[in-house]
Amino acid sequence: RAPHPAAPPAAPLRGRPSRRPRHDHGTGAGFAPAPGPALGGPGVGSDQGYAGYDGGPSTEAFPAFTEPAGPTGGPALGSVPMGVDETPRWPGPETMDTPGPGSRPGPAAPPPGPRPPLPTPAPAGTSAKPGKAAPAGKPAKKKGRSKLVLLGGGLVGLVAVAYGAGLLMNHSDIPKGTKVLGVDISGSRDDAVAKLQTAFGKRSATPLQLTVGGKSVELKPEKAGLTLDSQTTVRNATGSDYNPVTVIGSLFGVERTATAVMPVDEEKLKDSLQEIAGTAGTATEGTITFDTGKPVAVPGKAGTSLDVDGSVDKVTKAFRELVANGKAAPVELPTATKEPTISQAELNRAMKEFAEPAMSAPVTVKAGTKSLAFGAKSLPKILSMAPVQGKLVEKYDLEALKATYGNAFDGVLITRGTGAKTPVTPQDVVGALGKGLVGKTPAERVVTIDTNAN
């Protein structure tokens, strides 16, 4: 047979004795090992080797076990509880015990005694003080949240009530507190127009004081196309304003400002400034006059004259200041060196084609059953010629024309293209007069206004 491998030398016994119970079969006081070889290995003091194997390799003898004096502290015979493993173990320190085949090391056993209570996790959004767990099932209350919710709800309620009250008070055409240039026009549309006319009607008709080259001149706003449009101003201010800030503010006297509409007819304004330029500057423009009842050609000459284009904005600003404040300082208008734009050739053409025929004989204008003649005395008040892009064209003063014919056409109605029937206007008379002024025969110098434009 192959020799059995040598057993490792036994470790010296240290530490406390094995927990393996030792039985004395009656006394319970322990026992001394019987003479002879020990079970499971060679006897103490015997030759090195394994029992039952002759000539096997020798091993070092196990150290002799010395029974300690006195009781061993082991349990008495028969006192081992049922189920306790009584399998003999190899003597040695407890730390040397090795798990048996197939066994798995388990977790370390907790120390004896009651376990401390596990902490209860705090609900989300809450914080627990150190060392004090939050009560189970009751989330921590957020301080102040209830008061903020109540306060917010109260404010919303107050705003809603104020908004409703403001809407009830602003049921008129123009909301309460609406002002134009400081004048309150709230109420109905008709009342608003009347308020604007009372406050600004006189101001908007006041002539503007102008200065050109040291010479003072006046400019009538209406003639120059400068007006305050009260109807459009009121129309723009009409309508309910549902803006919460405006509606609630009206309860506390907050103003709502509407813009005054002051349109400018730039063509009329430039024409009026051209007239001023012909009298206020040193430069003169070629023209034809009818002052004596006969056409007279007047050549132009170079010099300083009113800068018409540069004066438009200044005159407009002065008019709006006059309407808003009731007064405006005299406006110094710019001047510029100017060459006449009407040549001698243009003067000759205008004289031949219009001026001479216009003053050659009276012109009669008829409307319905009524008529009126215009001749050498009335035409100079109405008729003039103005330069337009290097050409002389006839120009009619509508106010002077209306004053001339007065009530001559009263009661005559003209059917317009819309089907409406309206009285004769200065424009109707100008249309007929212009045709008659260039007429060369007596029949051509009598013109009838068509009363049926359809």
Side-chain angles (χ1 to χ4, degrees), residues 204-279:
S204 61
T206 302
L208 292 170
Q209 302 300 317
L210 308 176
T211 302
V212 182
K215 183 178 179 180
S216 296
V217 294
E218 286 187 349
L219 177 66
K220 294 181 178 180
E222 186 177 358
K223 183 179 180 181
L226 301 169
T227 58
L228 169 64
D229 191 342
S230 299
Q231 295 287 348
T232 303
T233 299
V234 171
R235 183 167 57 251
N236 292 346
T238 302
S240 299
D241 188 347
Y242 296 101
N243 186 335
V245 176
T246 305
V247 173
I248 297 176
S250 65
L251 298 176
F252 302 96
V254 177
E255 296 181 3
R256 176 175 177 261
T257 302
T259 303
V261 178
M262 289 182 273
V264 177
D265 187 335
E266 193 167 312
E267 183 178 354
K268 291 181 68 174
L269 177 56
K270 286 185 175 182
D271 288 345
S272 297
L273 292 174
Q274 286 286 3
E275 291 181 5
I276 294 174
T279 59

Side-chain angles (χ1 to χ4, degrees), residues 22-431:
R22 292 178 294 277
H23 298 223
D24 60 358
H25 302 280
T27 64
F31 61 92
L39 295 174
V44 177
S46 63
D47 295 337
Q48 305 290 335
Y50 293 94
Y53 291 94
D54 294 333
S58 63
T59 60
E60 183 181 352
F62 288 114
F65 179 81
T66 305
E67 181 71 15
T72 64
L77 181 62
S79 62
V80 178
M82 294 182 63
V84 175
D85 183 14
E86 300 184 25
T87 304
R89 302 185 182 181
W90 190 266
E94 186 177 359
T95 57
M96 299 298 292
D97 291 347
T98 305
S103 64
R104 297 181 180 178
R115 296 184 179 181
L118 296 176
T120 303
T126 63
S127 60
K129 294 182 178 180
K132 185 177 180 179
K138 294 182 179 181
K141 296 181 178 179
K142 291 186 176 179
K143 296 181 180 180
R145 173 178 290 183
S146 298
K147 293 182 179 180
L148 290 175
V149 171
L150 291 175
L151 180 60
L155 289 176
V156 171
L158 289 175
V159 171
V161 172
Y163 184 70
L167 289 177
L168 290 176
M169 294 182 65
N170 290 334
H171 64 280
S172 56
D173 292 339
I174 301 175
K176 182 180 178 182
T178 303
K179 291 186 177 182
V180 174
L181 299 176
V183 176
D184 192 332
I185 63 169
S186 55
S188 68
R189 295 187 182 185
D190 293 340
D191 289 345
V193 172
K195 290 176 183 178
L196 289 177
Q197 290 297 331
T198 300
F200 307 113
K202 186 176 180 180
R203 295 181 186 181
S204 61
T206 302
L208 292 170
Q209 302 300 317
L210 308 176
T211 302
V212 182
K215 183 178 179 180
S216 296
V217 294
E218 286 187 349
L219 177 66
K220 294 181 178 180
E222 186 177 358
K223 183 179 180 181
L226 301 169
T227 58
L228 169 64
D229 191 342
S230 299
Q231 295 287 348
T232 303
T233 299
V234 171
R235 183 167 57 251
N236 292 346
T238 302
S240 299
D241 188 347
Y242 296 101
N243 186 335
V245 176
T246 305
V247 173
I248 297 176
S250 65
L251 298 176
F252 302 96
V254 177
E255 296 181 3
R256 176 175 177 261
T257 302
T259 303
V261 178
M262 289 182 273
V264 177
D265 187 335
E266 193 167 312
E267 183 178 354
K268 291 181 68 174
L269 177 56
K270 286 185 175 182
D271 288 345
S272 297
L273 292 174
Q274 286 286 3
E275 291 181 5
I276 294 174
T279 59
T282 60
T284 59
E285 189 63 80
T287 188
I288 297 175
T289 63
F290 305 91
D291 297 338
T292 61
K294 294 182 179 180
V296 177
V298 181
K301 63 179 181 178
T304 59
S305 180
L306 174 67
D307 182 358
V308 174
D309 293 336
S311 300
V312 170
D313 290 341
K314 287 192 173 186
V315 172
T316 301
K317 183 179 179 181
F319 171 73
R320 291 175 178 173
E321 182 181 349
L322 175 64
V323 173
N325 304 322
K327 59 181 180 179
V331 182
E332 179 71 30
L333 298 182
T335 59
T337 301
K338 182 180 180 182
E339 294 288 338
T341 60
I342 302 301
S343 64
Q344 187 61 45
E346 175 59 20
L347 282 174
N348 295 337
R349 182 203 66 80
M351 283 289 289
K352 183 178 180 179
E353 294 181 3
F354 178 78
E356 291 177 350
M359 303 303 293
S360 62
V363 175
T364 302
V365 176
K366 292 184 177 181
T369 59
K370 298 184 179 182
S371 63
L372 181 66
F374 296 87
K377 292 183 178 180
S378 59
L379 284 175
K381 301 176 183 179
I382 302 168
L383 187 61
S384 65
M385 301 200 77
V388 176
Q389 297 181 351
K391 299 289 184 180
L392 281 176
V393 296
E394 62 272 25
K395 183 178 179 182
Y396 301 91
D397 188 333
L398 297 181
E399 289 183 0
L401 176 62
K402 180 68 173 69
T404 300
Y405 72 77
N407 57 2
F409 303 109
D410 286 356
V412 179
L413 299 179
I414 298 177
T415 303
R416 308 294 176 180
T418 59
K421 293 183 178 183
T422 62
V424 175
T425 65
Q427 287 82 358
D428 296 326
V429 177
V430 165

